[in-house]
Short mmCIF file of all heavy atoms in Angstrom, two decimals:
data_model
loop_
_atom_site.label_atom_id
_atom_site.label_comp_id
_atom_site.label_asym_id
_atom_site.label_seq_id
_atom_site.Cartn_x
_atom_site.Cartn_y
_atom_site.Cartn_z
N LEU A 208 106.35 116.03 78.34
CA LEU A 208 106.73 115.19 79.48
C LEU A 208 106.53 115.92 80.81
O LEU A 208 106.07 115.33 81.79
CB LEU A 208 108.19 114.74 79.35
CG LEU A 208 108.49 113.73 78.23
CD1 LEU A 208 109.97 113.38 78.23
CD2 LEU A 208 107.65 112.47 78.39
N ILE A 209 106.86 117.21 80.84
CA ILE A 209 106.65 117.99 82.06
C ILE A 209 105.16 118.05 82.39
O ILE A 209 104.75 117.88 83.55
CB ILE A 209 107.23 119.42 81.91
CG1 ILE A 209 108.75 119.38 81.81
CG2 ILE A 209 106.80 120.31 83.08
CD1 ILE A 209 109.39 120.71 81.45
N SER A 210 104.34 118.28 81.36
CA SER A 210 102.90 118.34 81.56
C SER A 210 102.36 117.00 82.08
O SER A 210 101.53 116.97 82.98
CB SER A 210 102.21 118.70 80.23
OG SER A 210 100.82 118.60 80.34
N LEU A 211 102.84 115.89 81.51
CA LEU A 211 102.40 114.58 81.95
C LEU A 211 102.82 114.30 83.39
O LEU A 211 102.10 113.67 84.15
CB LEU A 211 102.98 113.48 81.03
CG LEU A 211 102.37 113.39 79.62
CD1 LEU A 211 103.15 112.42 78.76
CD2 LEU A 211 100.90 113.00 79.68
N ARG A 212 104.00 114.79 83.75
CA ARG A 212 104.49 114.58 85.12
C ARG A 212 103.60 115.29 86.13
O ARG A 212 103.43 114.83 87.27
CB ARG A 212 105.92 115.11 85.23
CG ARG A 212 106.61 114.76 86.55
CD ARG A 212 108.03 115.31 86.56
NE ARG A 212 108.77 114.87 87.73
CZ ARG A 212 108.68 115.44 88.93
NH1 ARG A 212 107.87 116.48 89.12
NH2 ARG A 212 109.39 114.98 89.94
N LEU A 213 103.00 116.39 85.71
CA LEU A 213 102.12 117.15 86.60
C LEU A 213 100.71 116.56 86.68
O LEU A 213 99.93 116.93 87.55
CB LEU A 213 102.03 118.61 86.12
CG LEU A 213 103.34 119.42 86.17
CD1 LEU A 213 103.15 120.77 85.50
CD2 LEU A 213 103.81 119.60 87.60
N ASN A 214 100.41 115.65 85.77
CA ASN A 214 99.08 115.04 85.73
C ASN A 214 98.90 114.10 86.92
O ASN A 214 99.72 113.22 87.13
CB ASN A 214 98.90 114.26 84.42
CG ASN A 214 97.46 113.87 84.17
OD1 ASN A 214 96.78 113.39 85.07
ND2 ASN A 214 97.01 114.08 82.95
N PRO A 215 97.84 114.28 87.70
CA PRO A 215 97.61 113.42 88.88
C PRO A 215 97.60 111.93 88.56
O PRO A 215 98.02 111.11 89.38
CB PRO A 215 96.24 113.87 89.40
CG PRO A 215 96.10 115.27 88.91
CD PRO A 215 96.80 115.31 87.57
N SER A 216 97.15 111.56 87.36
CA SER A 216 97.07 110.14 87.00
C SER A 216 98.45 109.51 86.88
O SER A 216 98.59 108.29 86.90
CB SER A 216 96.30 109.96 85.69
OG SER A 216 97.01 110.53 84.61
N HIS A 217 99.49 110.34 86.73
CA HIS A 217 100.86 109.82 86.60
C HIS A 217 101.66 110.02 87.88
O HIS A 217 102.86 109.76 87.90
CB HIS A 217 101.58 110.49 85.42
CG HIS A 217 100.90 110.28 84.11
ND1 HIS A 217 100.81 109.04 83.50
CD2 HIS A 217 100.24 111.14 83.29
CE1 HIS A 217 100.15 109.15 82.37
NE2 HIS A 217 99.78 110.41 82.22
N GLN A 218 101.01 110.47 88.91
CA GLN A 218 101.71 110.73 90.19
C GLN A 218 101.77 109.46 91.03
O GLN A 218 101.10 109.34 92.05
CB GLN A 218 101.00 111.85 90.95
CG GLN A 218 101.17 113.24 90.34
CD GLN A 218 102.58 113.77 90.52
OE1 GLN A 218 103.15 113.70 91.60
NE2 GLN A 218 103.14 114.33 89.46
N ASP A 219 102.59 108.50 90.62
CA ASP A 219 102.72 107.28 91.42
C ASP A 219 103.69 107.53 92.57
O ASP A 219 104.28 108.60 92.70
CB ASP A 219 103.15 106.09 90.57
CG ASP A 219 104.57 106.23 90.01
OD1 ASP A 219 105.32 107.10 90.46
OD2 ASP A 219 104.92 105.43 89.11
N ILE A 220 103.85 106.53 93.43
CA ILE A 220 104.62 106.71 94.66
C ILE A 220 106.07 107.04 94.37
O ILE A 220 106.71 107.83 95.11
CB ILE A 220 104.51 105.44 95.55
CG1 ILE A 220 104.92 105.76 96.99
CG2 ILE A 220 105.32 104.30 94.98
CD1 ILE A 220 103.97 106.66 97.72
N ARG A 221 106.63 106.52 93.31
CA ARG A 221 108.03 106.80 92.97
C ARG A 221 108.22 108.27 92.62
O ARG A 221 109.18 108.90 93.04
CB ARG A 221 108.50 105.91 91.81
CG ARG A 221 108.51 104.44 92.16
CD ARG A 221 108.93 103.59 90.97
NE ARG A 221 108.75 102.16 91.29
CZ ARG A 221 107.64 101.49 91.10
NH1 ARG A 221 106.57 102.10 90.62
NH2 ARG A 221 107.55 100.22 91.41
N ILE A 222 107.30 108.80 91.84
CA ILE A 222 107.37 110.21 91.45
C ILE A 222 107.19 111.10 92.68
O ILE A 222 107.88 112.12 92.83
CB ILE A 222 106.32 110.54 90.37
CG1 ILE A 222 106.69 109.85 89.04
CG2 ILE A 222 106.19 112.04 90.16
CD1 ILE A 222 105.70 110.04 87.93
N GLN A 223 106.28 110.70 93.56
CA GLN A 223 106.05 111.48 94.79
C GLN A 223 107.31 111.53 95.66
O GLN A 223 107.69 112.58 96.17
CB GLN A 223 104.89 110.89 95.57
CG GLN A 223 103.53 111.06 94.91
CD GLN A 223 102.43 110.30 95.62
OE1 GLN A 223 102.54 110.02 96.83
NE2 GLN A 223 101.38 109.94 94.90
N ILE A 224 107.96 110.38 95.82
CA ILE A 224 109.19 110.34 96.63
C ILE A 224 110.28 111.17 95.96
O ILE A 224 110.98 111.93 96.62
CB ILE A 224 109.67 108.87 96.82
CG1 ILE A 224 108.62 108.08 97.62
CG2 ILE A 224 111.01 108.84 97.54
CD1 ILE A 224 108.87 106.58 97.63
N ARG A 225 110.42 110.99 94.64
CA ARG A 225 111.44 111.74 93.90
C ARG A 225 111.18 113.24 93.98
O ARG A 225 112.12 114.04 94.11
CB ARG A 225 111.44 111.27 92.44
CG ARG A 225 112.46 111.94 91.54
CD ARG A 225 113.87 111.65 91.93
NE ARG A 225 114.20 110.24 91.83
CZ ARG A 225 115.38 109.75 92.19
NH1 ARG A 225 116.29 110.55 92.71
NH2 ARG A 225 115.62 108.46 92.07
N GLU A 226 109.93 113.62 93.94
CA GLU A 226 109.56 115.03 94.04
C GLU A 226 109.97 115.59 95.41
O GLU A 226 110.52 116.69 95.50
CB GLU A 226 108.05 115.18 93.84
CG GLU A 226 107.57 116.63 93.80
CD GLU A 226 106.07 116.70 93.56
OE1 GLU A 226 105.31 116.18 94.40
OE2 GLU A 226 105.67 117.28 92.54
N GLN A 227 109.72 114.82 96.47
CA GLN A 227 110.11 115.25 97.82
C GLN A 227 111.63 115.38 97.93
O GLN A 227 112.14 116.30 98.57
CB GLN A 227 109.60 114.25 98.86
CG GLN A 227 108.08 114.23 99.01
CD GLN A 227 107.50 115.59 99.38
OE1 GLN A 227 107.92 116.20 100.36
NE2 GLN A 227 106.54 116.07 98.59
N LEU A 228 112.35 114.47 97.30
CA LEU A 228 113.81 114.55 97.29
C LEU A 228 114.27 115.81 96.56
O LEU A 228 115.21 116.49 97.01
CB LEU A 228 114.39 113.30 96.62
CG LEU A 228 115.92 113.23 96.48
CD1 LEU A 228 116.62 113.40 97.83
CD2 LEU A 228 116.33 111.91 95.82
N ASP A 229 113.61 116.13 95.46
CA ASP A 229 113.95 117.36 94.72
C ASP A 229 113.70 118.60 95.58
O ASP A 229 114.51 119.53 95.61
CB ASP A 229 113.12 117.45 93.44
CG ASP A 229 113.52 116.41 92.41
OD1 ASP A 229 114.61 115.83 92.55
OD2 ASP A 229 112.73 116.15 91.48
N PHE A 230 112.54 118.61 96.29
CA PHE A 230 112.23 119.75 97.16
C PHE A 230 113.29 119.89 98.25
O PHE A 230 113.74 121.01 98.55
CB PHE A 230 110.85 119.55 97.82
CG PHE A 230 109.68 119.66 96.87
CD1 PHE A 230 108.43 119.11 97.20
CD2 PHE A 230 109.81 120.29 95.64
CE1 PHE A 230 107.36 119.20 96.32
CE2 PHE A 230 108.73 120.39 94.77
CZ PHE A 230 107.51 119.83 95.11
N ALA A 231 113.66 118.76 98.86
CA ALA A 231 114.66 118.80 99.93
C ALA A 231 116.01 119.30 99.42
O ALA A 231 116.72 120.03 100.12
CB ALA A 231 114.81 117.40 100.54
N THR A 232 116.36 118.91 98.20
CA THR A 232 117.63 119.35 97.60
C THR A 232 117.62 120.86 97.38
O THR A 232 118.63 121.54 97.65
CB THR A 232 117.86 118.63 96.25
OG1 THR A 232 117.82 117.21 96.48
CG2 THR A 232 119.19 119.01 95.64
N ILE A 233 116.48 121.39 96.93
CA ILE A 233 116.36 122.85 96.74
C ILE A 233 116.52 123.58 98.07
O ILE A 233 117.25 124.57 98.18
CB ILE A 233 115.00 123.19 96.08
CG1 ILE A 233 114.96 122.67 94.64
CG2 ILE A 233 114.74 124.69 96.12
CD1 ILE A 233 113.58 122.69 94.01
N LEU A 234 115.85 123.08 99.11
CA LEU A 234 115.95 123.69 100.44
C LEU A 234 117.38 123.62 100.98
O LEU A 234 117.86 124.57 101.62
CB LEU A 234 114.98 123.00 101.41
CG LEU A 234 113.49 123.21 101.14
CD1 LEU A 234 112.65 122.27 102.00
CD2 LEU A 234 113.09 124.66 101.40
#
């Protein structure tokens, strides 16, 4: 699942937004 999440073909807008939220939480 982690590998699939990193695959560009699965990088839809929801994942991109969620990823940015994760980055902001880390910061």
Side-chain angles (χ1 to χ4, degrees):
L208 290 180
I209 292 172
S210 172
L211 288 172
R212 189 179 186 278
L213 296 172
N214 193 314
S216 66
H217 300 293
Q218 289 288 314
D219 67 14
I220 198 68
R221 295 178 188 87
I222 291 177
Q223 291 172 25
I224 296 169
R225 181 64 63 184
E226 185 179 61
Q227 292 302 306
L228 178 56
D229 291 343
F230 291 160
T232 304
I233 292 168
L234 292 169

